[in-house]
Amino acid sequence: MKATAAVLRRLDGPYELEEIVLAPPGPGELLVRVVGVGMCHSDLVPRRPKSFAPPPIVTGHEGAGVVEAVGEGVRRVSVGDHVVLSFDSCGDCRNCRKGLPPYCDTFLVRNMFGRRADGTTGARDAAGNAISSRWFGQSSFATHCLATERNAVLVDREQPLEKLGPLGCGMLTGAGSVLVGMKITAGASFVVFGTGAVGMAAIMAAKVVGASPVVAVDLHQHRLELARELGATHVLNGTDADLVSRIRDLTDGGADFSFDTTANVESIANAVAVLRMAGHCGLVGVQSRPVTLGPMALVGKTVSGILEGGADPHVLVPHLIDLWRQGLFPFDRLIETFPLEAINAAEEATLSGKVIKPVLLPEKTT
């Protein structure tokens, strides 16, 4: 079928809206009409010179929409169902069988290569040339996309699909890291470095579980002000020369948990330095260069790299929706909407920090 998609054709070029042709859904696949799709910093990865998924590619991996067709073998999802699209996983490896799909043996090839696990793609441009169209199992910067039964989370049809896409990755990662990856509980002290969508989701989840104090660190004052409204008990600017000592003072000698969302090596070093003995630092993102720590920096401390919050989206996404309905997880306060045709403006707003979570609305594109 024909669809309109935002295609990235050059590392340094703009997204271009094009008509593409999607193949019918294959075994285990779904055709989804995209209602809303969040923009995440991971969508910028194909712009890197040594990306696993070079252009031409359709990115987008926080989609939400309506199932319009299903392929052979699909049992759990039906035509007409409303779904939030998350990351893909095989369902058969040891970690998937243990309920740890973010650590699927084939996570990288299924999510970061922009193709099916067998290297094929289900999209071609008007000239008949193949376009990578399985970014995180979906490539949802489009009016329609092909996803899998594994990465489609069923949601109540009464919920506003145009808002729910970010729950599939950014919110899942931040909240999941608190609730699942680090298992933070009431009374624990918690420091978040970086208050973008992932950091804000972590702060909201920390408030839900009763963590205290919750310290937010960022370079943007408007984000720090919002972080305080969403659950941070203290906010600090990341350029503060006495940042580590101030955080230690606020956390009675050191934090129980810290969480770095920036992938900045200096920030990561600070996130480790603020921990007390037996403290746990969670990291998301990929660092551009090695992290250097002092010889005693890790003594008595734990540092873990967390993928997708360590959470099963089929469990956590419905839970986050339930929390949102109760007014306890107001993730929609982070959202600003754009038509799909304004995707380049949305990307610029993401990079500048002006907008925490752009959400593109393909159905509003003229």
Side-chain angles (χ1 to χ4, degrees), residues 47-58:
R47 289 192 177 278
R48 298 176 184 173
K50 295 183 180 180
S51 167
F52 293 120
I57 185 173
V58 179

Side-chain angles (χ1 to χ4, degrees), residues 156-171:
D156 191 324
R157 296 190 186 191
E158 296 180 358
Q159 303 309 314
L161 272 177
E162 68 276 7
K163 295 182 179 181
L164 300 184
L167 295 174
C169 184
M171 305 300 158

Side-chain angles (χ1 to χ4, degrees), residues 25 41 60 135-136 164 169 183 196 200 203 216 237 250 257-258 289 300 335 353:
H41 277 277
W135 183 244
F136 279 77
L164 300 184
C169 184
K183 295 182 172 61
M200 290 291 195
I203 288 167
N237 192 290
L250 291 172
F257 295 92
S258 63
R289 54 193 175 93
I335 290 173

